[in-house]
Amino acid sequence: MTSQLFAVSFDASQPLRLAQFWSGVLGREMVDDPHDGVMLLPSADTDFRIRFVPSQEPKVVQNRMHFELTSGSLDEQQQTVARALELGGRHIDIGQLPEEEHVVLADPEGNEFCVIEPGNKFLADCGFIGALSCDGSQEVGYFWSEALGWPLVWDQDQETAIQSPRGGPKITWGGPPFMPNGGRDRVRYDLAPPLDGDRQVEVERLLSLGAMRIDADQGGASRLAMADPDGGEFGLLTPR
């Protein structure tokens, strides 16, 4: 049985402060993470948890993964932007073009995210978090489709996207050119086998799909650090 996407995890110098920001932006309940840091609970059964774990490593490059938040109208887009700015976010320039209608922001620790304009058909019916937009290859899109058991919903010109069969946010990969790798990813996936699963069996399955084990065990015995075929770190948790 395949693992579930248990959470998207952020490294944070101030986990509580960052969790408060995202709780305010997304309207999600904030709770203590029983393993470490702070966590936002899902708002629907197609959502994932969002974890904020302590780290003193500085952010030095643009993240390879970011949220794309959807809007039902221009007023709604403007309200989301205003709420994010009020909570401590800021506008940033990552090379977006003047004619592009989405708004690029950063949270209080510099993690990039976009507030998408209304009428985006690709993200229709995906929820407020419409997508996790990732820098990555076609190969890594195929890997994650197999790893999570989520079908491909886009595969064209080396760009890929997957989505849970239950719906919810898409995960997308933009293909080349790729961003430089600036060390450990500050935003990453945490997977978990089901309660009746065997983590070692799941390790072997992920390795057979093209994953790699990496030396650093950043979360103790409860989290095994691995990397996908592009070198993007992810964690494999104990069954839960």
Side-chain angles (χ1 to χ4, degrees):
M1 186 177 293
T2 59
S3 287
Q4 61 171 319
L5 175 56
F6 179 79
V8 172
S9 293
F10 286 73
D11 280 351
S13 61
Q14 299 183 63
L16 179 59
R17 171 73 183 90
L18 198 58
Q20 289 171 333
F21 171 84
W22 281 106
S23 176
V25 170
L26 300 176
R28 290 199 188 183
E29 181 183 356
M30 183 173 63
V31 298
D32 287 336
D33 189 324
H35 298 282
D36 201 5
V38 190
M39 181 163 59
L40 303 187
L41 297 178
S43 57
D45 61 4
T46 55
D47 285 333
F48 42 79
R49 298 160 187 83
I50 304 174
R51 303 176 66 217
F52 303 91
V53 296
S55 174
Q56 296 309 310
E57 293 186 29
K59 183 179 187 298
V60 294
V61 295
Q62 183 178 330
N63 292 335
R64 294 195 288 178
M65 181 194 310
H66 67 269
F67 290 149
E68 293 191 340
L69 307 183
T70 61
S71 306
S73 66
L74 284 175
D75 283 346
E76 189 176 304
Q77 182 186 26
Q78 292 166 1
Q79 289 169 9
T80 299
V81 171
R83 184 165 66 250
L85 296 175
E86 182 179 349
L87 291 166
R90 66 181 189 275
H91 288 278
I92 58 170
D93 183 355
I94 58 170
Q96 64 268 31
L97 301 175
E99 62 268 24
E100 293 179 312
E101 298 180 80
H102 64 276
V103 179
V104 183
L105 302 172
D107 69 20
E109 296 206 4
N111 300 299
E112 303 84 5
F113 65 101
C114 296
V115 184
I116 304 299
E117 69 279 3
N120 186 300
K121 295 181 180 179
F122 184 69
L123 300 181
D125 302 321
C126 290
F128 188 28
I129 300 179
L132 299 172
S133 179
C134 306
D135 180 74
S137 65
Q138 184 181 52
E139 178 189 8
V140 88
Y142 294 166
F143 166 82
W144 281 108
S145 177
E146 293 288 337
L148 294 174
W150 290 13
L152 284 162
V153 294
W154 182 263
D155 185 8
Q156 185 172 313
D157 300 327
Q158 300 189 61
E159 297 178 357
T160 52
I162 63 175
Q163 187 178 31
S164 167
R166 298 178 298 148
K170 293 175 178 174
I171 305 178
T172 69
W173 292 271
F178 304 121
M179 296 189 301
N181 187 346
R184 183 168 186 251
D185 293 298
R186 293 182 64 82
V187 187
R188 57 195 175 276
Y189 306 120
D190 277 335
L191 277 56
L195 278 173
D196 59 351
D198 184 316
R199 184 164 71 165
Q200 187 53 44
V201 171
E202 182 64 358
V203 168
E204 296 302 323
R205 186 183 74 89
L206 292 169
L207 292 174
S208 73
L209 294 175
M212 301 166 280
R213 294 188 63 155
I214 55 181
D215 293 335
D217 187 339
Q218 304 288 346
S222 66
R223 182 181 185 276
L224 177 66
M226 303 186 73
D228 64 28
D230 279 358
E233 183 189 331
F234 66 94
L236 183 61
L237 308 178
T238 52
R240 57 194 68 190

